[in-house]
């Protein structure tokens, strides 16, 4: 596993640092934003612990940490929709990363079969927050791909 | 403030829901990914509590919750780089939102003066995670804009 150094005590040193010292939260996680390298579309948001970051950097295939299953999650292992990581960027205070990926398989990142997890717009309707779908195209049938697991 | 309903107990109901029931974490926050509506570039990542979500939906100007300052953060209030929100999308399990914004002022989202907070690439160098800058253009001088606050 890649040894990540401890972040500096002075947060202002993180901005121009040349060494990646991820600032893991109290659960040992950083946030990962995942975009499609072809057009920059935001596909999903996930979390990574040190092991997931290591595996991703070492293999070039996106690995996350599943909070619900409490284990390493090699994205696409079941669906075939592996994410080939073309670039990883760190943000200024090093508690988030941006992954630019090329999606294999069905070219979809969402467990609902859609390309992106962000497929509904939020708007105010009669003072309440409503959701309206902006993408109902399914690249795969979740029931077929995941069986009874979802 | 907008009344947000409590999320359903069965998480699978979140996928196709027509009502936005944000799944706030134990700190009362959801994650917000912020992109530029012009070209989709990921500008920053932040957090929103119910009040920040409400203010954003009601005013059309991005409000976040600053974890370090423990208060509502009207982004750009000091720098002038307000974010006009053109669209808000929710993700499948409703614990994250994607804001598509038009940035006012210096057209920059990062406190370092850069357009995006994601300005460094992570790569493996001699088995360690190194950072390489991919954007050193500053749209503003942080010392001048923030004075001694940063």
């Amino acid at each position: 596993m890649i040894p990540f150094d401890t972040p500096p005590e002075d947060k202002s040193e993180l901005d121009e640092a040349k060494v990646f010292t991820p600032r893991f939260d109290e659960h040992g996680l950083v946030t990962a934003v995942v975009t499609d390298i072809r057009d920059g579309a935001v596909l999903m948001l996930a979390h990574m612990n040190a092991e997931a970051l290591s595996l991703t950097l070492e293999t070039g295939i996106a690995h996350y940490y599943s909070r619900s299953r409490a284990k390493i999650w090699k994205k696409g292992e079941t669906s075939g929709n592996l994410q080939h990581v073309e670039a990883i960027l760190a943000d200024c205070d090093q508690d988030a990363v941006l992954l630019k990926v090329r999606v294999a398989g069905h070219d979809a990142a969402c467990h609902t079969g859609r390309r992106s997890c962000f497929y509904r717009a939020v708007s105010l309707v009669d003072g309440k927050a409503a959701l309206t779908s902006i993408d109902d195209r399914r690249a795969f049938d979740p029931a077929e791909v995941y069986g009874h697991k979802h």
Side-chain angles (χ1 to χ4, degrees), chain A:
Chain A
M1 196 159 109
I2 299 167
F4 294 110
D5 290 346
T6 306
E9 291 207 8
D10 180 357
K11 264 186 74 177
S12 69
E13 292 175 18
L14 293 162
D15 295 349
E16 306 302 329
K18 306 287 184 203
V19 177
F20 183 38
T21 54
R23 285 202 309 123
F24 298 109
D25 69 9
E26 72 268 36
H27 303 295
L29 303 173
V30 292
T31 308
V33 185
V34 186
T35 63
D36 189 320
I37 194 157
R38 292 173 304 177
D39 62 357
V42 176
L43 301 178
M44 57 182 274
L45 195 139
H47 294 84
M48 299 171 105
N49 61 3
E51 188 183 356
L53 263 175
S54 276
L55 287 167
T56 302
L57 278 162
E58 288 171 337
T59 66
I61 303 289
H63 290 71
Y64 305 107
Y65 180 79
S66 167
R67 293 178 300 176
S68 55
R69 283 173 283 167
K71 63 173 188 175
I72 288 287
W73 168 32
K74 184 179 178 182
K75 172 71 187 169
E77 199 164 28
T78 304
S79 65
N81 300 330
L82 294 173
Q83 297 177 344
H84 296 269
V85 180
E86 305 274 339
I88 304 180
L89 303 181
D91 77 341
C92 48
D93 66 354
Q94 302 195 35
D95 63 356
V97 291
L98 167 58
L99 270 58
K100 300 188 177 187
V101 307
R102 203 173 290 278
V103 182
H106 305 94
D107 194 15
C110 186
H111 76 283
T112 64
R114 294 176 180 88
R115 181 188 177 204
S116 167
C117 295
F118 295 92
Y119 53 84
R120 286 172 299 185
V122 183
S123 62
L124 276 184
V125 178
D126 297 331
K128 297 271 286 185
L131 294 173
T132 312
S133 181
I134 56 165
D135 178 20
D136 278 328
R137 206 187 79 83
R138 312 280 181 134
F140 64 88
D141 175 359
E144 198 175 295
V145 166
Y146 298 115
H148 293 292
K149 289 201 283 179
H150 269 258

